[in-house]
């Protein structure tokens, strides 16, 4: 591929990648692979990986990649522990290997354990964030040959952060092996805009673990009114913490639901209290909504603050916001 010579060529290259991402991420596992195939041509890299961050398990899950098994395992299980990754996470922009300061090179386990043994001379890492600010995954590109200078098409990943984040923030596609504890049962609901209409499953019956979907419909409408879709929310509901991926489809909201892992080791009741607290309710109001005493609510809040390692309700609420935690009903 010839090097792009101007902004028109760069935008055309970005459009090629966006076109590959138009496939429905709920339907199959081909979207991430298709995007990486086009992106590898645009940027001209030898290896590429697009991975989703699993906050409860504290690891990445590769959606598509062409690295070796050992390289993949490192990127999934250990890359996030590298001081270099922490730096990349903070800068919120693609970080090229050529731009690293000697100090970062010296402390990087990724360079020591993957890049140098594999003979990679160049590459980049780009952390991906959802529209509501959550870290959702990472793009890694590696090259066997060092470039004398960056090419204009190397700017394309930076233009596609929202597109790539939307792919990795979707539910796990078919064919991707989940890590331990990752529930794979899903149910997709169509939520109408009218509060008087109940959500309906797009196929089959509502599974027993999902329970009553009417409160879920209220939670989905409330979240959609305050957030930019697509997005992911957590809802304590029935006997489970549910993870709901929300997206527009016409005038409907499509909510793909699965049982989620509890963040920070919080119990389901503690997550219910935290969700209510984050909604601005007082202890007395939370007690009335959850049918417990105010003293019980106060005890739960003490436990929440201790588990999160924070000093006050506002700091706890910020964690809930980062997780996308919503009340049910």
């Amino acid at each position: 591929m010839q090097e792009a010579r101007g902004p028109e060529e760069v935008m055309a290259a970005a459009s090629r990648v966006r076109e590959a991402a138009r496939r429905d991420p709920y339907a199959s596992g081909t979207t991430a692979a298709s995007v990486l195939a086009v992106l590898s041509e645009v940027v001209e890299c030898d290896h590429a990986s697009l991975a989703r961050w699993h906050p409860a398990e504290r690891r990445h899950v590769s959606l598509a990649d062409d690295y070796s098994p050992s390289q993949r395992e490192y990127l999934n299980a250990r890359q996030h522990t590298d001081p270099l990754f922490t730096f990349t996470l903070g800068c919120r922009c693609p970080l090229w290997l050529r731009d690293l300061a000697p100090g970062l090179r010296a402390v990087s386990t990724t360079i020591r354990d993957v890049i140098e043994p594999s003979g990679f001379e160049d590459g980049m890492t780009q952390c991906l964030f959802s529209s509501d600010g959550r870290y959702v995954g990472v793009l890694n590109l590696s090259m066997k040959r060092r470039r004398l200078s960056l090419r204009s098409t190397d700017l394309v990943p930076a233009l596609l952060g929202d597109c790539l984040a939307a792919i990795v923030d979707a539910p796990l596609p078919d064919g991707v092996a989940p890590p331990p504890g990752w529930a794979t049962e899903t149910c997709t609901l169509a939520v109408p805009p009218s509060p008087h209409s109940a959500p309906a499953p797009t196929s089959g019956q509502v599974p027993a673990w999902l329970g009553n979907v009417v409160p879920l419909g209220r939670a989905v409408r409330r979240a959609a009114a305050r957030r930019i879709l697509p997005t992911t929310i957590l809802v304590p509901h029935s006997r489970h913490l549910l993870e709901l991926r929300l997206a527009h489809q016409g005038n409907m909201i499509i909510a793909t639901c699965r049982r989620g892992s509890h963040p920070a080791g919080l119990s389901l009741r503690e997550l219910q209290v935290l969700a209510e607290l984050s909604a601005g309710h007082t202890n007395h109001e939370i007690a009335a909504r959850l049918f417990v005493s105010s003293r019980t609510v106060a005890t739960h809040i003490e436990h929440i603050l201790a588990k999160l390692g924070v000093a006050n309700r506002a700091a706890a609420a910020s964690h809930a916001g980062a997780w996308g935690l919503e009340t049910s009903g």
Side-chain angles (χ1 to χ4, degrees):
M1 178 178 176
Q2 292 182 344
E3 182 181 351
R5 295 189 175 89
E8 295 83 3
E9 288 86 353
V10 175
M11 294 307 296
S15 296
R16 288 180 56 202
V17 181
R18 286 191 182 275
E19 185 61 33
R22 292 184 185 278
R23 301 183 186 185
D24 182 1
Y26 304 115
S28 70
T30 61
T31 303
S34 298
V35 167
L36 277 191
V38 177
L39 194 58
S40 296
E41 294 177 2
V42 168
V43 183
E44 294 188 15
C45 64
D46 297 300
H47 297 279
S49 170
L50 192 57
R52 174 179 178 167
W53 174 243
H54 188 335
E57 296 294 333
R58 300 294 298 172
R59 63 175 286 140
H60 290 95
V61 177
S62 176
L63 300 183
D65 74 89
D66 56 5
Y67 286 94
S68 71
S70 61
Q71 292 165 348
R72 180 185 308 116
E73 179 57 23
Y74 174 89
L75 293 175
N76 283 343
R78 293 180 52 204
Q79 182 184 15
H80 69 279
T81 65
D82 187 348
L84 177 58
F85 180 83
T86 303
F87 177 81
T88 310
L89 193 67
C91 73
R92 289 193 171 229
C93 60
L95 185 65
W96 285 85
L97 184 60
R98 66 176 56 251
D99 295 330
L100 291 184
L104 280 174
R105 285 178 174 270
V107 300
S108 173
T109 56
T110 304
I111 291 178
R112 183 193 68 199
D113 296 341
V114 176
I115 293 177
E116 290 180 346
S118 303
F120 297 142
E121 294 292 333
D122 216 335
M124 74 86 121
T125 294
Q126 180 174 348
C127 292
L128 306 172
F129 299 87
S130 68
S131 57
D132 54 4
R134 291 174 296 109
Y135 171 68
V136 293
V138 63
L139 169 70
N140 285 297
L141 304 177
S142 299
M143 295 84 168
K144 290 287 188 178
R145 183 176 300 174
R146 182 174 176 81
R147 303 220 176 119
L148 296 178
S149 61
L150 291 183
R151 306 170 182 178
S152 54
T153 47
D154 292 336
L155 301 175
V156 168
L159 300 175
L160 297 169
D162 61 329
C163 171
L164 299 173
I167 294 171
V168 300
D169 200 23
L172 277 178
D174 297 337
V176 176
W182 187 308
T184 56
E185 293 178 289
T186 62
C187 176
T188 301
L189 301 174
V191 182
S194 171
H196 305 295
S197 301
T202 57
S203 63
Q205 301 293 319
V206 175
W209 57 264
L210 196 56
N212 182 5
V213 297
V214 173
L216 278 182
R218 292 194 290 266
V220 166
R221 293 186 192 97
R222 184 172 56 247
R226 297 189 289 106
R227 302 171 186 265
I228 299 173
L229 303 191
T231 192
T232 301
I233 62 173
L234 298 178
V235 181
H237 174 72
S238 186
R239 293 178 298 170
H240 304 288
L241 176 69
L242 300 181
E243 180 182 291
L244 281 70
R245 169 70 177 177
L246 311 183
H248 286 299
Q249 189 174 94
N251 68 338
M252 306 284 279
I253 302 168
I254 302 300
T256 301
C257 317
R258 73 173 182 89
R259 284 178 283 189
S261 300
H262 291 210
L266 297 177
S267 69
L268 184 65
R269 179 60 88 181
E270 289 166 346
L271 287 165
Q272 289 175 324
V273 171
L274 179 57
E276 298 289 345
L277 180 156
S278 303
H281 297 138
T282 65
N283 285 18
H284 180 73
E285 290 169 335
I286 296 172
R289 289 170 61 86
L290 298 182
F291 304 102
V292 297
S293 69
S294 296
R295 183 172 182 178
T296 297
V297 171
T299 300
H300 282 312
I301 291 176
E302 289 179 6
H303 293 165
I304 291 168
L305 298 182
K307 288 183 179 181
L308 294 180
V310 297
N312 53 54
R313 299 163 70 102
S318 70
H319 280 267
W323 297 333
L325 187 64
E326 294 275 350
T327 60
S328 177

